[in-house]
């Protein structure tokens, strides 16, 4: 392509992006908005191939049929613009400047509508938005989680101090506009921090959690527990992970970094026994409640660092046939990987949301007797450059 033509194409793409999303450039969240969806999938498949093909076979990428508005967890930060108007939206990449967002292409539309309603209610309820510089004001963030299959909606109001003036009337006004809301929680975050949620919580309407369903299992999700933001694709990811594990009903399975216990619970009917380990206490409580709800008697959850837990297990001569692991972006700890050398599970299914740490951990495992048998990318985050991968290793 000639230089001039390339320039024109770039200009057309820029226009397209601006039409699709007015804050595209300031937000920086949709790195792939300039590509149509088929091209995004090809790009991600190629990236996964580059990373994994030196080790083994990579299957076709698993894409989304309808790749918009998939985010069931929506976070909005509240503040004021230069003119003093209340705004809500997201932090501009790498800064603490708020980019106002009303309708995001990726976020659940109901969640965005609820955030808009809250913005509108603040003035009449005399609720001040928080100002990071002066540490003054009350409302810092709103977090909304929606159950994809159940339609349940949780609204978390993150406040600097625990008192919300006329809280009952506020909830009433919110429910009048959105009767579909199932629960409202106040979370208190009085620290100068970029973490959204603080430690203290108070339920002011409903049960304080939502439930969702995936792969025939029902899960409890509390405000602070990890739950995949794209449940449609999470279902496909879990299915792939379970297929890779090839369970026959005789295996002892370790679900490491298990969150609310999703993967382990889906595996449990096909295994002899499942052990889940997770650091976040709220997530572990949700996992235990979920196992009860799903009437699973062969699964146990433990709150611990996955590395410490696996080391103890190895020291006590514990037996594990299959390890399902889904660590955070920082990847697995050395401790955990070292313990796997002793535990020597026949199969490892590694779910990763970060190519760099996956590459590091794969190298370790492949240097220690494992082989990558199969792998696939699953598009959990269309329009962004995040790539989720699931790998099957055996020794
Ligand atoms: N498998 C789950 C959660 C994956 S996200 C799902 O699909 O929903 C990664 C999880 O690892 C989070 O729940 C996080 O709280 C947990 N985690 C982070 N560091 C950990 C550690 N050192 N030990 C155990 N769990 C950890």
């Amino acid at each position: 392509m000639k230089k001039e033509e390339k320039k024109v194409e770039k200009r057309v793409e820029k226009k397209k992006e601006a039409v699709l999303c007015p804050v595209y450039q300031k937000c920086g969240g949709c790195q792939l908005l300039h590509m149509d969806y088929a091209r995004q999938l090809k790009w991600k498949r190629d990236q996964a191939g580059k990373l994994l093909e030196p080790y083994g076979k990579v299957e076709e990428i698993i894409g989304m049929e309808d790749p918009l508005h998939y985010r069931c967890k929506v976070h909005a930060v509240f503040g004021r613009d230069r003119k003093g108007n209340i705004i809500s939206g997201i932090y501009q990449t790498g800064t603490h400047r708020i980019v106002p967002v009303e309708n995001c292409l990726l976020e659940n539309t109901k969640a965005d509508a609820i955030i808009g309603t809250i913005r509108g209610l603040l003035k009449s309820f005399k609720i001040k938005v928080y100002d990071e510089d002066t540490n003054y004001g009350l409302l810092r963030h709103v977090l909304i989680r929606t159950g994809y299959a159940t339609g349940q909606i949780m609204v978390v109001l993150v406040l600097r101090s625990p008192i919300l003036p006329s809280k009952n009337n506020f909830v009433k006004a919110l429910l009048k506009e959105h009767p579909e809301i199932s629960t409202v929680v106040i979370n208190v975050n009085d620290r100068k921090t970029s973490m959204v949620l603080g430690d203290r919580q108070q339920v002011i309407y409903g049960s304080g959690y939502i439930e969702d369903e995936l792969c025939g299992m029902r899960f409890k999700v509390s405000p602070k527990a990890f739950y995949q933001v794209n449940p449609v694709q999470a279902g496909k990811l879990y299915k792939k992970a379970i297929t890779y594990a090839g369970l026959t009903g005789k295996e002892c399975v370790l679900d490491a970094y298990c969150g609310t216990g999703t993967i382990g619970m889906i595996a449990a009917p096909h295994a002899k026994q499942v052990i889940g380990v997770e650091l976040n206490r709220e997530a572990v409580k949700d996992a235990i409640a979920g196992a009860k709800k799903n009437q699973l008697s062969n699964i146990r959850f433990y709150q611990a660092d996955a590395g410490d837990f696996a080391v103890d297990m190895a020291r006590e001569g514990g037996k594990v046939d299959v390890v399902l692991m889904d660590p955070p972006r920082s990847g697995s700890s050395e401790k955990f990987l070292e313990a796997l050398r002793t535990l020597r599970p026949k199969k490892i299914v590694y779910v990763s949301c970060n190519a760099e740490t996956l590459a590091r951990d794969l190298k370790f495992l492949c240097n220690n007797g494992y082989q990558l048998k199969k792998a696939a990318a699953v598009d959990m985050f269309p329009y962004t450059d995040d790539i989720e991968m699931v790998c099957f290793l055996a020794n």
Side-chain angles (χ1 to χ4, degrees):
M1 200 187 295
K2 275 194 232 124
K3 220 176 166 185
E4 200 47 40
E5 279 174 28
K6 257 193 179 160
K7 257 193 193 162
V8 171
E9 195 181 60
K10 261 219 162 118
R11 231 178 288 144
V12 170
E13 278 188 345
K14 277 242 158 70
K15 260 208 177 130
K16 251 199 293 183
E17 290 150 6
V19 169
L20 286 169
C21 176
V23 296
Y24 163 76
Q25 268 183 329
K26 278 191 182 160
C27 161
C30 286
Q31 301 88 356
L32 304 189
L33 195 64
H34 59 287
M35 296 185 191
D36 65 34
Y37 190 52
R39 216 170 117 205
Q40 292 177 34
L41 287 178
K42 185 177 176 308
W43 183 81
K44 290 190 182 184
R45 164 66 184 78
D46 289 348
Q47 296 295 315
K50 264 186 223 156
L51 177 78
L52 301 172
E53 262 151 14
Y55 297 101
K57 186 175 170 293
V58 180
E59 299 181 314
E60 212 25 76
I61 182 165
I62 302 172
M64 225 182 155
E65 258 161 54
D66 177 8
L68 293 172
H69 301 292
Y70 57 82
R71 282 195 69 96
C72 282
K73 177 182 173 186
V74 173
H75 161 237
V77 54
F78 278 68
R80 287 182 185 276
D81 65 11
R82 270 195 222 129
K83 290 183 195 143
N85 302 313
I86 293 175
I87 52 169
S88 71
I90 44 148
Y91 287 123
Q92 189 167 352
T93 339
T95 73
H96 266 208
R97 209 167 310 137
I98 301 171
V99 180
V101 175
E102 278 178 36
N103 305 293
C104 166
L105 287 170
L106 309 189
E107 291 171 357
N108 178 285
T109 44
K110 264 194 190 153
D112 278 353
I114 293 170
I115 290 165
T117 302
I118 293 175
R119 221 173 31 234
L121 287 174
L122 295 179
K123 208 170 174 191
S124 53
F125 279 85
K126 298 195 174 65
I127 298 171
K128 295 245 165 28
V129 290
Y130 179 71
D131 181 331
E132 249 184 357
D133 298 327
T134 59
N135 201 26
Y136 178 75
L138 184 63
L139 181 67
R140 299 181 70 156
H141 310 268
V142 171
L143 182 75
I144 303 204
R145 300 185 93 152
T146 55
Y148 176 77
T150 59
Q152 295 179 11
I153 300 178
M154 169 164 64
V155 177
V156 184
L157 306 167
V158 185
L159 309 180
R160 185 180 61 99
S161 64
I163 311 290
L164 179 68
S166 335
K167 69 173 182 225
N168 292 340
N169 286 334
F170 184 81
V171 169
K172 224 187 242 168
L174 191 55
L175 283 164
K176 195 168 163 241
E177 291 291 317
H178 303 281
E180 63 276 22
I181 292 174
S182 357
T183 184
V184 182
V185 179
I186 286 178
N187 175 282
V188 185
N189 186 352
D190 52 13
R191 284 171 299 170
K192 272 203 158 187
T193 164
S194 55
M195 295 269 287
V196 174
L197 296 176
D199 293 330
R200 276 177 293 163
Q201 253 158 221
Q202 185 197 357
V203 180
I204 56 172
Y205 175 74
S207 62
Y209 60 86
I210 56 161
E211 288 186 326
D212 201 10
E213 271 174 22
L214 278 180
C215 305
M217 290 284 160
R218 206 168 169 95
F219 305 106
K220 182 182 169 200
V221 186
S222 295
K224 291 176 86 173
F226 178 91
Y227 184 67
Q228 292 284 359
V229 299
N230 183 344
V232 173
Q233 291 301 91
K236 295 182 195 169
L237 172 74
Y238 296 155
K239 231 188 208 162
K240 193 81 191 170
I242 304 293
T243 308
Y244 280 170
L247 301 171
T248 64
K250 291 190 188 125
E251 297 83 358
C252 290
V253 177
L254 175 64
D255 178 9
Y257 308 90
C258 70
T260 48
T262 39
I263 304 180
M265 278 192 247
I266 295 165
H270 313 286
K272 184 174 164 212
Q273 196 202 353
V274 181
I275 295 168
V277 58
E278 158 67 43
L279 199 56
N280 181 306
R281 191 176 324 150
E282 213 169 75
V284 175
K285 275 192 188 161
D286 287 352
I288 292 168
K292 207 167 167 194
K293 187 151 268 200
N294 294 309
Q295 298 179 320
L296 298 169
S297 55
N298 62 339
I299 188 162
R300 293 270 173 284
F301 292 100
Y302 297 89
Q303 191 221 334
D305 167 76
D308 290 345
F309 187 84
V311 167
D312 285 349
M313 214 174 171
R315 193 184 307 129
E316 287 158 18
K319 194 177 144 303
V320 178
D321 303 301
V322 178
V323 168
L324 306 170
M325 55 190 285
D326 184 4
R329 295 190 67 80
S330 52
S332 179
S333 66
E334 235 177 281
K335 218 177 195 181
F336 185 79
L337 292 174
E338 278 295 337
L340 288 186
R341 284 186 354 149
T342 315
L343 287 168
R344 285 229 81 63
K346 284 195 237 24
K347 297 174 182 175
I348 298 174
V349 179
Y350 191 138
V351 178
S352 162
C353 56
N354 182 322
E356 226 167 278
T357 54
L358 173 65
R360 181 198 68 200
D361 295 347
L362 268 185
K363 200 168 165 197
F364 180 95
L365 291 167
C366 292
N367 282 339
N368 282 283
Y370 285 93
Q371 273 184 332
L372 181 71
K373 299 287 182 191
K374 272 182 196 172
V378 181
D379 193 18
M380 303 291 278
F381 311 101
Y383 292 92
T384 78
D385 59 6
D386 283 322
I387 307 175
E388 186 95 6
M389 281 166 277
V390 50
C391 300
F392 169 45
L393 298 114
N395 65 11

